[in-house]
Amino acid sequence: MFSHSSPIKLYSSAVALSLLLCPAARSEDKPKQIVLISFDGAHDNALWTKSREIATRNGAHFTYFLSCTFLMNHDQAKAYQGPGQKPGKSNVGFAKSDDEIRTRIANIWGAHQEGADISSHACGHFDGKKWTEADWKQEFISARVALRDAWKNAGAATEEPDGWEKFATHDVKGFRAPYLSTSDGLVPAEKAIGFEYDASLVTRGPQLPQSVGGLARFGLPLIPEGPDHHLVIGMDYNFYVHHSKGVEDAQDSKSFEDRTFDAFEAAFDKEYDGDRIPLQLGFHFVEMNAGAYWHALDRFVSDVCHRPEVACISYSQALPMIAARGKPQGSGL
């Protein structure tokens, strides 16, 4: 018979105690699960309203990559010229009226005050894969000036909020390249303009950002989708192409919504239950396949952003939290 001080009983007690303590310890050791939701273009005012409502309802802060031609009316469009392009050309068009612009910049200011990131998507949505550093700088400066002068150019100079100029010239800290297309001149231009992060990469699954000379480079992840677990970039347009080859299919909208929601949830759960690498998902201000991807977004944000130890935040807000985790991937490159 073993005494009360027997090694076996002591061992059993230690195991029982460790089983009680380990889950809490593991939870405390893990960082918060960061979720980064972003929108490219940021033009349609109805979707500005919808996105801000989703964010407010769920305590989330989104990132908006703004195309600056949507701040230009017909007369201003004539003066705009992208690198290597004819004057007045834009792949995404321009604003249709000053009233539309005034509503848009009021949305931009409102979202900024609510804690969202307003970041850059350049201006005319051109493919910059052959651009030099000077070309990128030209486009970044065009975007900065268009945002700075938006109230005046829309005939509403007296309505410009206090602090707008500082916001437009100093608080735009990030960029995503149209078509996710980059060149060797991009990073030097981003650093010269004062950007703190770029979100133009694509990664095989969620990854921590690379650090390139102090610039954080984020990538949209490839995530499994559908019954065949096909890897798709975590962005609405890529799901749209995968689901319906980029052709509207309203009849199957609910099926596409459910598949997208399931893919988002699975990608989130893998990180939340694992190493908690930030999960990035991208959208456009266009409701494809009868709104399937925005419906999936709303369901996803409404579910995960209320969970314990989850932070649905902007890229700028994520940077110090990621830095606190330790050395970023690729630092020193």
Side-chain angles (χ1 to χ4, degrees):
M1 218 140 155
F2 293 106
S3 70
H4 289 297
S5 60
S6 118
I8 290 179
K9 286 192 174 181
L10 289 173
Y11 174 78
S12 299
S13 299
V15 169
L17 183 61
S18 69
L19 289 173
L20 289 172
L21 294 178
C22 280
R26 284 197 297 269
S27 177
E28 290 170 3
D29 289 342
K30 282 188 174 185
K32 283 189 175 182
Q33 176 62 54
I34 294 171
V35 177
L36 298 163
I37 303 294
S38 61
F39 301 89
D40 290 5
H43 57 292
D44 185 285
N45 281 316
L47 294 179
W48 264 111
T49 299
K50 182 179 286 190
S51 67
R52 290 175 63 193
E53 187 276 327
I54 292 172
T56 300
R57 174 161 38 88
N58 295 290
H61 294 147
F62 297 152
T63 299
Y64 298 89
F65 293 102
L66 174 68
S67 296
C68 88
T69 55
F70 297 121
L71 304 178
M72 299 178 182
N73 62 25
H74 183 265
D75 291 337
Q76 293 146 21
K78 295 177 183 177
Y80 165 67
Q81 184 172 8
Q85 304 293 329
K86 294 179 180 180
K89 178 175 173 55
S90 163
N91 282 348
V92 290
F94 297 88
K96 293 181 173 59
S97 70
D98 285 345
D99 283 345
E100 178 192 305
I101 295 171
R102 286 193 286 268
T103 301
R104 182 168 298 118
I105 53 183
N107 271 311
I108 289 169
W109 184 245
H112 169 65
Q113 290 185 305
E114 290 158 4
D117 263 11
I118 308 299
S119 289
S120 178
H121 202 43
C123 285
H125 209 277
F126 301 118
D127 186 339
K129 66 185 175 186
K130 295 182 180 179
W131 282 5
T132 64
E133 178 181 348
D135 291 334
W136 286 110
K137 283 182 182 177
Q138 175 188 328
E139 189 78 340
F140 293 154
I141 291 169
S142 293
R144 179 173 287 176
V145 170
L147 186 61
R148 183 196 68 193
D149 297 344
W151 291 91
K152 177 183 71 176
N153 289 341
T158 59
E159 299 174 36
E160 180 177 310
D162 291 340
W164 176 270
E165 183 173 352
K166 175 187 176 297
F167 151 69
T169 55
H170 297 290
D171 294 342
V172 176
K173 296 296 187 182
F175 174 70
R176 176 175 286 149
Y179 310 110
L180 304 179
S181 183
T182 65
S183 72
D184 289 343
L186 175 59
V187 168
E190 289 175 313
K191 290 160 71 173
I193 207 74
F195 289 155
E196 295 179 355
Y197 67 88
D198 172 272
S200 307
L201 301 178
V202 175
T203 59
R204 191 174 179 86
Q207 292 183 17
L208 290 169
Q210 300 174 0
S211 178
V212 183
L215 181 79
R217 300 201 71 193
F218 290 87
L220 287 167
L222 290 162
I223 61 175
E225 191 281 337
D228 60 352
H229 304 290
H230 185 85
L231 291 176
V232 182
I233 297 173
M235 186 171 243
D236 56 359
Y237 178 75
N238 301 87
F239 277 70
Y240 178 53
V241 171
H242 180 58
H243 287 159
S244 61
K245 296 181 169 44
V247 177
E248 277 297 306
D249 180 1
Q251 182 177 343
D252 293 317
S253 177
K254 187 60 169 67
S255 172
F256 297 147
E257 173 192 333
D258 290 342
R259 285 176 54 171
T260 303
F261 174 73
D262 289 344
F264 291 169
E265 289 275 308
F268 172 88
D269 288 342
K270 182 178 180 182
E271 300 309 320
Y272 187 67
D273 296 334
D275 293 334
R276 296 201 173 169
I277 304 301
L279 176 64
Q280 301 167 69
L281 298 172
F283 299 84
H284 292 79
F285 267 28
V286 179
E287 292 186 300
M288 306 166 207
N289 278 336
Y293 310 106
W294 274 70
H295 292 316
L297 164 68
D298 195 347
R299 289 169 60 188
F300 174 72
V301 170
S302 298
D303 179 25
V304 306
C305 293
H306 297 281
R307 296 193 195 181
E309 301 177 31
V310 173
C312 293
I313 54 178
S314 72
Y315 281 90
S316 290
Q317 292 168 326
L319 288 174
M321 293 178 63
I322 292 171
R325 294 177 61 135
K327 194 173 183 180
Q329 290 183 355
S331 58
L333 291 179

